[in-house]
Amino acid sequence: MRTYLYVFFFFLLSTFGLAQNIKEPVDFSQNTHIYGVKQIEQIKNWGINSPTSGVVSGNVMEMQGGSINPSMSGKPLEGIESLRGLGELFTLLQNKVFAPIFLAIIILVPLAFLTHLMIFKSKRFSHGISYKVFSTYNIAIHWLSAVPFVVICITGLIMVFGDKLGGGTFVRLARDLHGISTIAFAIFGPLMFLMWVKASLPKIYDLKWLLMLGGYLTKGRTISTPIPSGQFNAGMKMWFWTCTVGGFIMIFTGAILYFQLSSINALRLSAIIHNCLGFAIIALLITHIYMSVFAIEGALNAMVDGTMGEEELAILHSYYYKELQEGGKLEKMRVGKPHHH
């Protein structure tokens, strides 16, 4: 009898004990979704197969922020965080697309201009009489913006090809110069914008300029047909808007990337915008330098001493020339000494 009692109590205690050990199923409900998709799907979005997984701007930036932490609140994600597929897109672009496009731009654009120079030659205009078309203030603001801008472009390219250049101190120095030069451009860029925004507003005749590519496909050493252009031609205006407004967007997206100010999806989007705008900026910067230094002989003088020869002004900026003539301003802008080249 006593044995039966022991068995009974043992059974009772065991059952009670088992009941105590049986827990409620673990609640994974708040953890089944990260950034709006299932965890297992989300993992690939973190940049698998990427040497820069979680890194937003080349292999020289270490991810120090907590931006890739999964959402622990269980709340539905909103806004940019709810965007799906941005991780795959960023990983693909960062690994396979950005650097080859930059490489193609820095090889093909100069090559195209070299071909242009060989076929169409640099144009020459008489510089007998010159006019002061840019003030000292214009020239100073231009160069105070241009020098840091060029440094930003060169150091940006070094960062894009950081791994090919061996990384390390050299690339980190480029990154630091990129940031420091950005501060300088952030000061002088807006001054340049205010200085030339009015002259850079699009006009109907800019379409004519674009259709005839500014006369730059004219063979021979000079252009004799007046080109429809104001103080700035359509090409210069395109460059103005790209380097100012585009530059300001670069500052904004660059600051987000540099300081990692936002969540991972916003960082990815910033990196995509930063690189895509970079394509246009690098291509147009090369164009701008070619046009100023090689396409027209002596054109750079406009940004050195502010002067431009009468023939060049009358042909390449014909509308501006007429406007100055009709407004009685041209004579006042005449420089005493002829420009010699």
Side-chain angles (χ1 to χ4, degrees):
M1 185 63 189
R2 185 176 294 177
T3 306
Y4 288 122
L5 277 174
Y6 284 145
V7 171
F8 174 73
F9 279 115
F10 179 76
F11 179 76
L12 196 66
L13 286 169
S14 301
T15 309
F16 183 73
L18 281 172
Q20 287 294 309
N21 285 332
I22 294 173
K23 293 180 180 175
E24 289 294 318
V26 177
D27 181 15
F28 287 111
S29 62
Q30 72 162 13
N31 210 21
T32 52
H33 286 69
I34 300 177
Y35 298 130
V37 295
K38 289 179 182 174
Q39 281 190 59
I40 196 70
E41 292 172 4
Q42 180 57 33
I43 288 169
K44 66 187 177 187
N45 294 350
W46 291 356
I48 197 167
N49 194 30
S50 164
T52 55
S53 173
V55 181
V56 292
S57 182
N59 62 353
V60 293
M61 291 183 69
E62 293 175 3
M63 191 70 185
Q64 295 168 340
S67 302
I68 60 168
N69 288 341
S71 169
M72 298 301 288
S73 67
K75 291 179 183 172
L77 293 159
E78 295 176 348
I80 191 171
E81 285 313 303
S82 64
L83 271 182
R84 299 183 184 187
L86 205 55
E88 290 100 324
L89 179 65
F90 169 71
T91 305
L92 175 74
L93 294 174
Q94 180 77 5
N95 285 340
K96 311 274 185 190
V97 179
F98 288 150
I101 291 182
F102 276 116
L103 187 64
I105 289 170
I106 58 175
I107 291 174
L108 296 180
V109 176
L111 204 60
F113 286 130
L114 182 64
T115 310
H116 177 269
L117 192 64
M118 289 168 71
I119 296 173
F120 297 101
K121 313 291 181 192
S122 59
K123 306 303 177 200
R124 185 180 291 165
F125 292 97
S126 163
H127 289 267
I129 299 172
S130 293
Y131 296 94
K132 181 90 173 166
V133 290
F134 292 116
S135 68
T136 307
Y137 175 78
N138 293 154
I139 297 164
I141 293 297
H142 171 265
W143 288 112
L144 287 168
S145 307
V147 171
F149 196 88
V150 171
V151 174
I152 291 168
C153 291
I154 293 170
T155 51
L157 287 170
I158 291 172
M159 289 162 72
V160 168
F161 301 108
D163 56 340
K164 303 290 184 294
L165 295 170
T169 309
F170 173 63
V171 179
R172 277 197 294 276
L173 181 67
R175 182 194 63 179
D176 293 341
L177 271 174
H178 198 74
I180 292 166
S181 303
T182 300
I183 296 169
F185 180 72
I187 294 168
F188 297 108
L191 294 178
M192 190 173 70
F193 177 83
L194 293 173
M195 182 169 81
W196 282 332
V197 64
K198 190 180 171 190
S200 300
L201 291 172
K203 298 281 169 57
I204 296 294
Y205 56 71
D206 290 331
L207 289 173
K208 291 184 193 169
W209 189 96
L210 287 170
L211 285 172
M212 62 192 297
L213 289 174
Y216 287 106
L217 297 185
T218 308
K219 286 198 173 184
R221 293 305 302 265
T222 192
I223 302 172
S224 51
T225 312
I227 306 295
S229 168
Q231 185 179 13
F232 298 125
N233 63 42
M236 291 164 144
K237 289 178 182 179
M238 282 167 59
W239 172 233
F240 173 83
W241 291 106
T242 306
C243 78
T244 54
V245 177
F248 303 149
I249 295 171
M250 292 295 266
I251 293 172
F252 180 71
T253 52
I256 290 175
L257 294 170
Y258 192 86
F259 297 108
Q260 303 196 354
L261 295 172
S262 193
S263 56
I264 187 69
N265 257 1
L267 291 174
R268 287 167 178 151
L269 191 63
S270 297
I272 292 169
I273 294 169
H274 204 78
N275 279 278
C276 291
L277 257 177
F279 301 151
I281 284 174
I282 297 292
L284 286 174
L285 174 65
I286 296 170
T287 308
H288 187 62
I289 292 171
Y290 173 74
M291 292 297 174
S292 313
V293 181
F294 300 103
I296 310 288
E297 280 186 16
L300 193 61
N301 281 296
M303 270 304 136
V304 175
D305 57 15
T307 63
M308 188 179 286
E310 183 168 26
E311 191 183 8
E312 183 182 340
L313 186 62
I315 299 289
L316 294 186
H317 302 273
S318 61
Y319 287 34
Y320 182 53
Y321 182 72
K322 281 180 193 168
E323 183 189 314
L324 292 173
Q325 264 186 331
E326 288 166 8
K329 296 177 184 173
L330 196 63
E331 272 309 302
K332 294 175 189 169
M333 293 164 67
R334 184 168 175 162
V335 180
K337 292 178 183 176
H339 215 107
H340 297 291
H341 293 284

